Amino acid sequence: MLVIEKLPATSTENRDPSEKVLIFRGSVSWDDKLKSDYIYINFHIPESVKCLEISYTYPENSGCILDIGLLGPGGVFRGWSGSNKKQIRLSPESATPGYLRGPIDPGEWSIMLGLAKIPRNGYCPYQVTIKAQDCDGLAQHNPGIQCTAPKKRSKPPENWLKGDLHAHSVHSDGVDTICDIALDAIRQGLDYIAITDHNTISHHEELEIVGRGIGRENLILIPGVEITTYYGHLNVWGEGWIDFRRGPRELGSLVQAAHEKGLVISANHPFRDLGDLCIGCALADKSIRGFDAVEVWNGPWHAFGNREALYWWHTMLCEGLRAAAIGGSDYHGRRDSVIRVGEPTTWIKPSSGTPKGLIEAIKLGRTYVTASPKGPRIDITLARGSTETYSIGDTVSVEDRGENLKLVIEIQGVELEAILKLITAEGVIHTQIVRGGDNKFVKDIVLSKEHGFLRAELGIFSDPYSVMLKNGDIMIALTSPIYLR
């Protein structure tokens, strides 16, 4: 049974008499989690409060994990930090990363406690302390930090822009600032990077500030959010916050909510089951459809769940659905020497070198993924005669009985001899040895509507004719499809 005890407001002689301290103590059980993944502690803020300081504790070594977030009057979102930060500060000028700075409006506020992990035969006690005070001595996070690129690009980016669609900063559970991540991305030779902190948009303002400092010609910064539920993680790119509070049978509504706000959405690492290390990493409901993209490659290729994610995406394509293939490093900071910015790299062909142009190109499926920014570069085209040419993300109308088209594949910068696989809904229809260096293949190919799509994989495969990869296979690159209708 949920129990919340509110202790009386207190003040002490060594505090300003106007400072009020509210202490809430409570306990949650497994039965409480079965009713809802979130509980709320409501408190009233009077006029003239300038700053808030919130802290909370729970026994972390007893099988308990409690997340925390904050809602202002009227349920307005003011921030989320999961279980990463135990102390939160807000003022009109600044806020703890993960939280939105702004006026401390009078009215009813709410602490959100997320019941991430509750022992089945036990309780999770907690204490939340809320201090309403003036701002003197309050440590401030300065989003206006000066961030400049070491030098300007000597030439503008090419048509295909390379970058990372999944990275975390201090605004959630990352350890690097946005400036640190941006400069790292520039050193890696990336054209863009998306910062997708968990369940918050507090980093979006800082992205604009850092972006102005380093210049778009050096790096395009894409705003995003990793919608982090206890039953699956989803990336959205674009401006806007999505309410992440969904139960196991409500995840499909997140796809609709993202589209209603004009955001592009992907399923992240859908088969990455890491238990307490990443609660909800694996997508619980694999029947959900409507994603604009699927993160088929998360971190190093050998990481758990990538082979399964790739095959799951393939089954969606076989169902006749459209979804781009993307990759993301899921970078969290320098503490992790295995996960590096830009590994893997998602290449995008946008209509314009802007965040909006890149996001729109993901939705159109103009993507391919490589193990690193070094490539290789891949271009696939289908041609009908001399006037009609189709490339990755396009749709070709073909005759029911099949039609002869000209296929051109250009692969540049291959470091190792590898195997190229051409894959459709009918399986692997062609394989080709690819030598190191630059390669170009031209062939006539008969394709029908039954093929559904045409995509490519480049790697070292134990069975080149299997769509499902084996343990030990090495992926070098993979493309989104050209669709056949």
Side-chain angles (χ1 to χ4, degrees):
M1 176 181 294
L2 174 63
V3 178
I4 300 177
E5 175 189 6
K6 178 182 176 182
L7 278 67
T10 63
S11 63
T12 62
E13 292 182 1
N14 61 346
R15 288 198 183 101
D16 186 299
S18 64
E19 182 180 286
K20 298 296 183 183
V21 180
L22 295 175
I23 299 175
F24 295 86
R25 291 178 184 151
S27 182
V28 287
S29 68
W30 178 254
D31 286 341
D32 297 318
K33 181 171 174 61
L34 292 178
K35 296 173 185 175
S36 175
D37 288 310
Y38 303 92
I39 64 170
Y40 301 88
I41 300 172
N42 303 318
F43 60 99
H44 180 78
I45 291 294
E47 296 278 358
S48 75
V49 171
K50 301 296 184 183
C51 293
L52 278 182
E53 182 174 334
I54 300 166
S55 61
Y56 82 119
T57 60
Y58 61 89
E60 299 183 45
N61 296 324
S62 61
C64 297
I65 301 177
L66 299 180
D67 296 334
I68 193 168
L70 184 63
L71 301 173
V76 174
F77 178 77
R78 292 299 297 265
W80 178 263
S81 51
S83 58
N84 182 254
K85 298 175 176 72
K86 298 302 185 290
Q87 192 170 54
I88 302 150
R89 298 181 174 97
L90 284 87
S91 76
E93 292 77 27
S94 183
T96 297
Y99 293 80
L100 305 179
R101 66 190 181 101
I104 309 301
D105 296 321
E108 295 300 314
W109 290 61
S110 296
I111 298 290
M112 296 184 284
L113 285 184
L115 312 187
K117 183 183 179 185
I118 309 296
R120 289 179 180 267
N121 298 309
Y123 293 86
C124 289
Y126 63 83
Q127 176 172 303
V128 177
T129 303
I130 302 165
K131 299 178 183 178
Q133 59 187 58
D134 61 30
C135 301
D136 292 343
L138 219 62
Q140 302 290 308
H141 173 71
N142 180 13
I145 184 172
Q146 293 298 313
C147 188
T148 57
K151 61 181 180 179
K152 302 294 184 184
R153 283 183 187 267
S154 59
K155 63 176 183 177
E158 300 179 41
N159 288 337
W160 283 97
L161 304 185
K162 57 183 181 292
D164 194 336
L165 286 171
H166 190 168
H168 298 279
S169 77
V170 294
H171 285 263
S172 60
D173 56 348
V175 300
D176 290 354
T177 66
I178 290 174
C179 182
D180 290 336
I181 297 171
L183 296 180
D184 193 7
I186 292 172
R187 285 191 293 270
Q188 299 301 323
L190 301 185
D191 301 312
Y192 74 85
I193 191 165
I195 307 298
T196 55
D197 280 313
H198 298 283
N199 290 345
T200 188
I201 55 173
S202 66
H203 55 294
H204 288 189
E205 179 186 21
E206 195 164 339
L207 281 170
E208 293 183 8
I209 296 169
V210 171
R212 289 195 297 267
I214 63 176
R216 187 172 288 170
E217 68 275 13
N218 288 299
L219 187 72
I220 303 166
L221 293 170
I222 299 177
V225 176
E226 184 167 18
I227 304 174
T228 307
T229 79
Y230 301 130
Y231 310 99
H233 296 186
L234 314 170
N235 263 356
V236 292
W237 299 283
E239 298 283 354
W241 179 75
I242 300 289
D243 192 339
F244 54 88
R245 293 169 290 175
R246 300 294 202 279
R249 289 178 290 277
E250 301 171 316
L251 296 184
S253 64
L254 288 168
V255 177
Q256 180 181 353
H259 289 158
E260 287 175 352
K261 291 197 172 187
L263 304 175
V264 172
I265 186 167
S266 77
N268 289 354
H269 42 65
F271 287 81
R272 184 69 54 81
D273 187 357
L274 299 178
D276 291 353
L277 294 176
C278 183
I279 294 174
C281 253
L283 186 66
D285 185 355
K286 302 295 196 304
S287 69
I288 298 172
R289 297 294 184 265
F291 301 112
D292 301 301
V294 174
E295 190 182 62
V296 300
W297 193 337
N298 178 278
W301 173 254
H302 58 75
F304 179 76
N306 280 333
R307 293 185 308 115
E308 292 82 1
L310 178 62
Y311 187 75
W312 182 60
W313 170 68
H314 175 79
T315 63
M316 287 187 189
L317 299 179
C318 292
E319 294 171 14
L321 303 175
R322 293 180 66 108
I326 62 164
S329 68
D330 210 346
Y331 178 76
H332 279 73
R334 298 188 188 98
R335 64 186 175 190
D336 192 339
S337 59
V338 176
I339 307 299
R340 291 183 285 268
V341 168
E343 296 183 9
T345 296
T346 301
W347 300 69
I348 303 175
K349 190 174 185 179
S351 58
S352 65
T354 64
K356 183 179 179 181
L358 284 157
I359 293 168
E360 289 176 345
I362 296 170
K363 190 175 184 68
L364 292 172
R366 306 192 189 286
T367 66
Y368 67 89
V369 188
T370 60
S372 77
K374 294 180 180 179
R377 297 283 305 272
I378 300 179
D379 244 326
I380 302 176
T381 59
L382 286 172
R384 178 187 288 123
S386 58
T387 58
E388 295 183 45
T389 302
Y390 304 89
S391 58
I392 295 171
D394 288 340
T395 300
V396 185
S397 295
V398 292
E399 297 178 6
D400 290 340
R401 66 179 183 277
E403 185 175 349
N404 189 62
L405 300 170
K406 182 180 180 181
L407 171 67
V408 179
I409 302 176
E410 295 184 75
I411 308 176
Q412 301 174 345
V414 179
E415 294 185 345
L416 300 171
E417 181 174 295
I419 298 174
L420 175 71
K421 298 194 298 186
L422 296 182
I423 303 170
T424 72
E426 307 249 307
V428 178
I429 62 169
H430 179 73
T431 65
Q432 176 81 46
I433 298 293
V434 176
R435 311 294 179 184
D438 296 346
N439 296 260
K440 183 175 181 178
F441 306 103
V442 181
K443 69 187 303 290
D444 291 333
I445 187 170
V446 177
L447 295 170
S448 67
K449 291 182 179 180
E450 282 70 27
H451 285 106
F453 58 89
L454 177 71
R455 65 180 184 88
E457 293 177 4
L458 180 68
I460 300 173
F461 309 118
S462 55
D463 181 358
Y465 290 93
S466 174
V467 175
M468 179 65 181
L469 273 62
K470 308 294 191 295
N471 284 327
D473 288 354
I474 299 173
M475 184 67 74
I476 296 173
L478 58 91
T479 74
S480 285
I482 298 174
Y483 296 93
L484 307 169
R485 299 288 188 263

